């Protein structure tokens, strides 16, 4: 009898183990990637953001006191030529195929695989992005791209974006990549300041808090305080494109410390949730 129970247990455990081994792999980014890649809701959200940006651009052009870069734009900017500062990844260009690859392989971001992806020039425009950039250019507004892609990745990035008709800047270098100058760190304030010296910044667009302010790397309470400080800017001179797949929102709960294990990061993110205790 004991032997039969032991045998039954062994078969049961074996089956359970087998099911787990053959089950669908779990990855934290599946839903977010599916949403950005396939939902009409994402496409609608993006078109909404760029439609608003177009209205705000017209408004800003008429108001010489308007600036989107309050920390970087110093006095006397009213007579400067107008510009917009736009992030590239997940703001203008959709890299969800790279996210999809990470989900399928159950792996995480790595500069080497990212660089290989960039070099394939396989990114596609976010809905509404090309049309907005072309509209801005048609109004005499210089379109600057401030991206944390590297200088080494700039040629492939230019090829990829030129193919879709993004304005390329003419005789001005409008692609300001990370570390092209010693003080151009991944915090974008120094690059915004570089543009703000010569241009009045009408709008900033991004998918990440760091596309708007350098005060993005705090914990959640600190980020919320910075958000509140700038509350009047959102939807006016600061316009966000939704990106639920990655960004400083995700790393804030684990202190932006990517040396932590996946389990520790997931634990910290779970700990940050508001959760109903249940029935
Ligand atoms: Mg981005």
């Amino acid at each position: 009898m004991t032997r039969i129970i032991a045998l039954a247990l062994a078969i049961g455990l074996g089956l359970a183990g087998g099911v787990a081994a053959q089950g669908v792999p779990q990855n934290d980014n599946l839903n977010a990637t599916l949403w950005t890649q396939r939902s009409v809701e994402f496409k609608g959200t993006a078109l909404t953001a760029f439609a608003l940006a177009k209205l705000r651009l017209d408004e800003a052009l008429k108001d010489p006191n308007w600036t989107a870069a309050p920390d970087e734009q110093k006095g006397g900017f009213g007579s400067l030529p107008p510009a917009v500062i736009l992030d590239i990844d997940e703001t203008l260009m959709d890299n969800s195929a790279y996210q999809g690859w990470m989900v399928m392989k159950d792996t995480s971001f790595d500069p080497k695989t990212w660089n290989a992806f960039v070099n394939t020039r396989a990114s596609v425009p976010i809905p509404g992005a090309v049309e907005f950039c072309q509209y801005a250019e048609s109004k005499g507004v210089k379109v600057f791209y401030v991206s944390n892609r590297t200088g080494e990745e700039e040629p492939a990035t230019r090829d990829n974006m030129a193919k879709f008709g993004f304005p390329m800047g003419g005789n001005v270098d409008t692609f300001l990549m990370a570390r092209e100058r010693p003080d151009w760190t991944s915090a974008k304030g120094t690059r915004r300041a570089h543009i703000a010296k010569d241009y009045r910044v009408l709008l900033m667009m991004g998918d990440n808090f760091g596309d708007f302010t350098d005060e993005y790397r705090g914990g959640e309470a600190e980020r919320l305080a910075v958000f509140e400080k700038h509350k009047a800017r959102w939807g006016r001179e600061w316009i966000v494109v939704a990106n639920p797949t990655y960004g400083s929102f995700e790393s804030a709960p684990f202190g932006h410390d990517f040396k932590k294990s996946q389990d520790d990061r997931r634990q910290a993110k779970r700990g940050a949730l508001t959760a109903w205790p249940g029935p």
Side-chain angles (χ1 to χ4, degrees):
M1 190 63 186
T2 316
R3 219 189 254 176
I4 292 168
I5 292 171
L7 187 64
L9 262 174
I11 291 167
L13 285 171
L15 276 176
V19 168
Q22 289 163 23
V24 180
Q26 305 287 309
N27 185 285
D28 293 345
N29 228 347
L30 174 61
N31 260 12
T33 304
L34 181 68
W35 188 75
T36 54
Q37 208 167 64
R38 291 285 170 257
S39 77
V40 292
E41 290 82 355
F42 172 68
K43 296 182 208 317
T45 304
L47 288 179
T48 303
F50 287 109
L52 175 62
K54 201 173 153 203
L55 293 174
R56 292 307 196 189
L57 189 85
D58 291 340
E59 208 178 327
L61 276 169
K62 292 184 205 136
D63 178 358
N65 295 315
W66 179 303
T67 176
D71 296 333
E72 294 88 9
Q73 193 99 68
K74 304 302 173 202
F77 55 79
S79 56
L80 296 175
V84 288
I85 297 181
L86 312 176
D87 170 56
I88 294 177
D89 293 315
E90 273 55 66
T91 299
L92 302 177
M93 294 297 272
D94 168 351
N95 308 297
S96 63
Y98 180 69
Q99 307 290 321
W101 172 79
M102 286 193 287
V103 169
M104 301 308 274
K105 293 282 173 190
D106 197 19
T107 188
S108 50
F109 178 88
D110 182 284
K112 279 198 202 105
T113 58
W114 168 246
N115 181 261
F117 175 79
V118 166
N119 284 327
T120 64
R121 297 152 168 83
S123 305
V124 293
I126 300 277
V130 174
E131 294 78 1
F132 171 72
C133 292
Q134 290 178 346
Y135 179 77
E137 191 187 45
S138 78
K139 294 282 168 179
V141 176
K142 202 54 133 178
V143 178
F144 282 95
Y145 308 105
V146 175
S147 171
N148 281 342
R149 291 189 178 195
T150 62
E152 189 203 1
E153 289 163 344
E154 185 176 326
T157 304
R158 282 176 173 270
D159 283 355
N160 197 172
M161 292 177 70
K163 187 171 78 182
F164 291 106
F166 282 99
M168 299 306 286
N171 56 2
V172 176
D173 180 7
T174 49
F175 285 73
L176 277 52
M177 319 306 266
R179 290 174 290 283
E180 283 190 300
R181 294 186 182 190
D183 65 333
W184 289 7
T185 60
S186 56
K188 295 179 169 179
T190 50
R191 283 175 278 169
R192 286 192 289 268
H194 175 80
I195 296 165
K197 270 190 302 181
D198 300 320
Y199 294 87
R200 179 163 71 91
V201 182
L202 307 184
L203 294 177
M204 302 204 292
M205 293 189 74
D207 65 296
N208 198 318
F209 205 13
D211 297 325
F212 305 92
T213 173
D214 282 1
E215 297 181 282
Y216 66 96
R217 285 183 65 85
E220 295 186 297
E222 291 153 297
R223 284 164 56 85
L224 192 58
V226 178
F227 170 83
E228 292 288 343
K229 185 170 77 177
H230 294 291
K231 202 162 187 177
R233 302 191 182 284
W234 301 105
R236 190 172 182 271
E237 60 262 28
W238 292 4
I239 295 175
V240 190
V241 177
N243 174 14
T245 67
Y246 66 88
S248 51
F249 83 91
E250 189 218 344
S251 52
F254 56 84
H256 311 284
D257 181 3
F258 286 91
K259 289 192 193 86
K260 287 190 173 159
S261 70
Q262 284 287 4
D263 272 1
D264 285 350
R265 292 187 227 170
R266 183 178 297 122
Q267 192 65 33
K269 287 191 277 186
R270 287 172 62 96
L273 286 186
T274 301
W276 178 51

